[in-house]
Amino acid sequence: MSPEPTRISRETLVVHGSSRSDQRTGALVPPLILSATFAHGNQEQLAYSRDRNPTWELLEAAVAQLEGASGAVAFASGMAGIAAALDLLPVGAEVVVAQDAYTGTRDLLAHLSTTGRLRARRVDATAPAALEEIGGAAMVWLESMGNPLLSIPDLRAWAAAAHGQGAILAVDNTLATPLLCRPLELGADLVAHSASKHLGGHSDLMLGVVAGQDPELLSRLRQQRTRQGGCPGQLEAWLALRGMRTLAVRLSRQCQTAGFLAGALVGTSRVREVHYPGLPTHPQHELAEAQLDGGFGAMLALELEVGAVAAEQVCTSTRIWTNATSLGSVESLLERRSRWAGEEYLPEGLIRLSCGIENQEDLLEDLGQALAQVGAGPLA
Ligand SMILES: Cc1ncc(COP(=O)(O)O)c(C=O)c1O
């Protein structure tokens, strides 16, 4: 099946977009081509699996279709893709980056700044005044949904401002996925994913994808991957294809659970703030309603009126939630975010919750008993 993206919903595309049933065998499941090398003279002109591999290419086509991109390039991890995208820029170029961008992205930019490769300027991407600060930058790097406070930048406004100054807009769409947000439709030039999160969806692979419209940028990304060797493993690409087939059902349930938990925790004992874009109190709630399609995401953050020790106690007292970093998988995870270098700007009692697909009442009860141990939450 080769569905037409404009006429078929993305819920259907995720199931069928990646599967081209094999003409010869009728197999519905895409083939896993592990071969590192290919006999010279083959029909597909394949040569070596650091350059091209048919299993990656199925994944790239599936992500490109969902993002409304002309093409996509898969990498060994989300960070390998982000590094390749930044490597498109000339030496000394300036990158304007959202101040709450993923710590790994900010760390890479800080490193590239110390070596003189690039310069980075952090801005509050939700502040209209920041749109005036692009002058001189070659790239703007945003996230369609920042975390852990779930900030939502106005992507259409950023695209117009970036292009007005001759800059590229690149958007990390990991948290929202192309089911909730399509940055390219809003004017972005590149969209990046850590497919280790929602796209894979099972905490069992590391993979990144960068998609875009401009064939020249895509070709340079492919060349960079071939030269530097940041190519994905064949098995990981295959696992991501399998994971993506259930993305719509997983994400829909995760968004439902996140909304349910946010509503249940608001105003409870020693909960200073619940950060979730689906709540009317969220500073970008209206923008989130306009820019996101079909849900407000699977993550929320709980700002407790407790210190670091008590917040850590909550994270280690749950039975269903696992105290671990990451997001977008079938298992629910929580962590005290400011325990990480680069995240010290966050309140020490802030807990990030990444909802999985377990029963939402079970998740609330488990969280409630852990919060109650420090006098917080609905059961305290
Ligand atoms: C928003 C975001 N982008 C990129 C990355 C990096 O992806 P990876 O861990 O696959 O390298 C992460 C990882 O946590 C992330 O959360």
Side-chain angles (χ1 to χ4, degrees):
M1 182 181 178
S2 171
E4 166 57 54
T6 51
R7 275 184 272 134
I8 294 185
S9 81
R10 281 176 170 75
E11 290 176 334
T12 303
L13 275 181
V14 292
V15 180
H16 293 282
S18 57
S19 65
R20 291 181 208 139
S21 63
D22 186 79
Q23 295 279 316
R24 195 172 53 85
T25 63
L28 293 189
V29 176
L32 166 54
I33 309 280
L34 287 169
S35 193
T37 191
F38 301 89
H40 186 63
N42 65 78
Q43 280 181 13
E44 302 273 329
Q45 297 186 318
L46 295 157
Y48 189 55
S49 272
R50 177 162 40 77
D51 180 26
R52 282 181 61 206
N53 175 279
T55 306
W56 307 345
E57 289 182 352
L58 285 177
L59 173 70
E60 292 171 340
V63 174
Q65 192 175 42
L66 289 176
E67 286 288 3
S70 71
V73 189
F75 289 89
S77 66
M79 281 314 302
I82 292 168
L86 294 174
D87 208 28
L88 293 168
L89 301 175
V91 172
E94 186 168 57
V95 179
V96 166
V97 59
Q99 64 185 9
D100 58 350
Y102 172 56
T103 43
T105 306
R106 284 188 275 122
D107 176 63
L108 175 61
L109 279 167
H111 169 71
L112 295 173
S113 301
T114 50
T115 60
R117 172 68 184 83
L118 294 176
R119 288 174 295 130
R121 187 150 36 99
R122 281 173 76 175
V123 296
D124 174 359
T126 64
L131 292 162
E132 313 296 325
E133 293 175 36
I134 302 173
M139 181 183 273
V140 176
W141 190 278
L142 304 179
E143 295 185 358
S144 51
M145 206 179 253
N147 89 84
L149 301 181
L150 291 316
S151 62
I152 311 282
D154 184 340
L155 294 181
R156 216 182 274 282
W158 274 101
H163 296 158
Q165 297 288 335
I168 290 175
L169 175 62
V171 178
D172 183 328
N173 201 25
T174 298
L175 266 76
T177 86
L179 295 188
L180 302 188
C181 183
R182 263 100 41 214
L184 299 178
E185 286 176 4
L186 300 169
D189 303 285
L190 291 174
V191 56
H193 280 279
S194 166
S196 325
K197 315 295 182 197
H198 281 290
L199 300 185
H202 294 75
S203 305
D204 55 6
L205 63 94
M206 298 300 298
L207 203 129
V209 185
V210 182
Q213 296 289 22
D214 181 350
E216 200 232 318
L217 288 181
L218 291 166
S219 153
R220 286 172 58 203
L221 286 168
R222 279 190 203 99
Q223 282 169 4
Q224 199 272 8
R225 177 180 66 186
T226 302
R227 288 195 182 114
Q228 298 198 354
C231 52
Q234 291 90 319
L235 176 61
E236 283 73 9
W238 187 88
L239 284 171
L241 278 167
R242 185 172 67 167
M244 278 175 64
R245 298 177 96 175
T246 55
L247 176 63
V249 281
R250 284 187 281 109
L251 188 65
S252 149
R253 185 172 170 102
Q254 288 168 302
C255 291
Q256 153 71 30
T257 297
F260 166 75
L261 292 175
L265 293 163
V266 162
T268 61
S269 178
R270 300 181 87 182
V271 173
R272 183 177 296 130
E273 188 78 55
V274 178
H275 299 270
Y276 187 62
L279 292 175
T281 47
H282 187 278
Q284 291 94 44
H285 175 64
E286 280 176 24
L287 175 62
E289 278 190 312
Q291 198 164 273
L292 303 177
D293 189 7
F296 294 99
M299 184 185 281
L300 64 153
L302 212 52
E303 201 175 317
L304 301 178
E305 288 167 2
V306 303
V309 174
E312 285 292 349
Q313 189 186 332
V314 173
C315 296
T316 52
S317 302
T318 50
R319 300 177 197 118
I320 299 172
W321 297 82
T322 303
N323 182 15
T325 199
S326 203
L327 61 113
S329 186
V330 291
E331 319 85 9
S332 293
L333 307 179
L334 84 176
E335 67 171 333
R336 196 178 68 81
R337 200 57 195 166
S338 65
R339 69 189 167 123
W340 294 105
E343 300 283 79
E344 301 89 349
Y345 73 96
L346 294 164
E348 59 177 10
L350 186 127
I351 297 177
R352 186 180 88 167
L353 303 166
S354 304
C355 300
I357 61 168
E358 303 93 333
N359 177 286
Q360 63 183 21
E361 303 283 352
D362 291 346
L363 289 173
L364 179 60
E365 195 182 314
D366 186 33
L367 197 57
Q369 65 78 24
L371 288 166
Q373 296 188 26
V374 300
L379 302 179

